[in-house]
Amino acid sequence: MIKRWNSKTLLFKLEGTYGVDANPTGAANAVLAQNVSIKPMEGADVSRDLELPWFGADATIPTELQVEISFDVELAASGTAGTPPAWGPLVRSCSMAEVISAGTSVAYTPITEDPESATIYLNIGGTLYATIGARGTVKLDAQAQGIPKLKFTLRGLFVKPAEGVQPSVDLALWKDPQLAATANTPTFTIAGQSLVLRSLMLDLGNQVEGRFLIGKEEIVISDRAPSIETTVEAVALTTFDPFQRALDQSTTALQLVHGTAPGRIVTIDVPKAQMQRPQGLSNAQNVKEWPLRMVPLPVAGNDDFSLTLT
């Protein structure tokens, strides 16, 4: 019997103790995902380097076994101010803290110490690919007239795949998204200057590595280097001058607000971003556009940017 690629269920649950299977269920922990891909047995192969009197290949031993899984989810708030979105646990596994203000907001900011970890179950056609101790990184991608997305890449400790029953899933917590368009995305500013936006990519930039020692095996987030790529309509340099800002090494704030109704508003705030050298110009429909690169910098630490839902 064939195994159908498009027959997938993805379950995700934060762990109480690192590397201990959290046993996610389809009723409570299902993910509404797109573009799912998996590398189920990443690692290295240690050669035995045997010295023999004849030619031939050398035997190897697999080591540092990990699972890498990537997928996208739609960026949509919960619909109720102060209630975390369905994707909240996903960003928490990417070294981000969740702060809930009851009835008002949910805010996500990067952290350095003690990131949370997760158990992931991906079932494809009745075969379960599980991983424990998973941590990762995420990119926020907003394209004009497209659905804003969170793009995750996570690594976890290897669990041998096994045949299993495809679970039933409840996806009620996953809300319908809104297009990134003028009516739904009222604010995009750099240094307080409103600019016409084509695209924005905020990359959390976590460095995710396997650390395999005797007595301890773990997926660690060893560093973070956020970055921003955005494309905007060019304006007069007297209005906004990215070239001078790059020369001055000046820092400035960036803000994107997506959504207008209470419970549906997502705000990205970058309080201190350094403008990098603009690399080239672009032409779209015979209109000059600027591809811009910016680097979010910490102000007091772990405040490079924030993602707030209201």
Side-chain angles (χ1 to χ4, degrees), residues 68-227:
E68 181 178 298
I69 183 169
S70 62
F71 54 88
D72 305 341
V73 302
E74 296 166 329
L75 179 66
S78 68
T80 303
T83 298
W87 45 263
L90 303 178
V91 295
R92 288 167 61 183
S93 73
C94 296
S95 196
M96 295 186 71
E98 178 184 81
V99 177
I100 300 172
S101 298
T104 303
S105 67
V106 182
Y108 296 94
T109 53
I111 58 175
T112 297
E113 302 297 337
D114 301 321
E116 295 181 86
S117 62
T119 297
I120 305 172
Y121 288 0
L122 173 62
N123 192 304
I124 305 178
T127 301
L128 175 61
Y129 300 90
T131 184
I132 56 176
R135 292 173 173 142
T137 191
V138 62
K139 298 178 181 179
L140 188 154
D141 184 18
Q143 304 281 333
Q145 302 303 317
I147 298 172
K149 297 178 182 179
L150 295 168
K151 298 175 174 287
F152 292 92
T153 301
L154 300 117
R155 285 182 173 269
L157 301 177
F158 174 76
V159 176
K160 184 180 177 298
E163 293 304 292
V165 177
Q166 191 92 336
S168 298
V169 296
D170 184 349
L171 297 168
L173 292 177
W174 294 86
K175 303 304 180 182
D176 292 339
Q178 296 176 300
L179 291 178
T182 302
N184 302 324
T185 313
T187 303
F188 177 70
T189 61
I190 301 178
Q193 176 64 48
S194 295
L195 296 169
V196 175
L197 178 66
R198 174 176 293 278
S199 64
L200 174 72
M201 176 80 81
L202 170 60
D203 185 351
L204 181 56
N206 284 341
Q207 185 171 325
V208 185
E209 302 176 304
R211 182 172 170 82
F212 292 87
L213 304 177
I214 298 173
K216 186 178 184 180
E217 296 185 350
E218 184 178 5
I219 303 299
V220 298
I221 297 175
S222 57
D223 204 352
R224 178 178 70 245
S227 62

Side-chain angles (χ1 to χ4, degrees), residues 223-306:
D223 204 352
R224 178 178 70 245
S227 62
I228 294 171
E229 294 183 1
T230 185
T231 299
V232 300
E233 278 191 6
V235 296
L237 296 179
T238 51
T239 300
F240 183 81
D241 189 343
F243 306 97
Q244 190 62 53
R245 287 180 176 276
L247 288 171
D248 293 343
Q249 303 176 48
S250 61
T251 57
T252 188
L254 177 149
Q255 185 181 69
L256 175 73
V257 179
H258 177 65
T260 58
R264 301 277 285 167
I265 301 170
V266 180
T267 301
I268 301 166
D269 277 307
V270 183
K272 184 181 176 183
Q274 182 180 357
M275 185 70 67
Q276 302 291 286
R277 294 177 296 105
Q279 295 181 313
L281 304 174
S282 59
N283 170 23
Q285 299 172 295
N286 208 25
V287 175
K288 182 172 68 171
E289 297 183 345
W290 285 331
L292 301 178
R293 300 175 302 127
M294 305 177 73
V295 176
L297 299 175
V299 179
N302 293 319
D303 52 4
D304 320 46
F305 65 91
S306 63

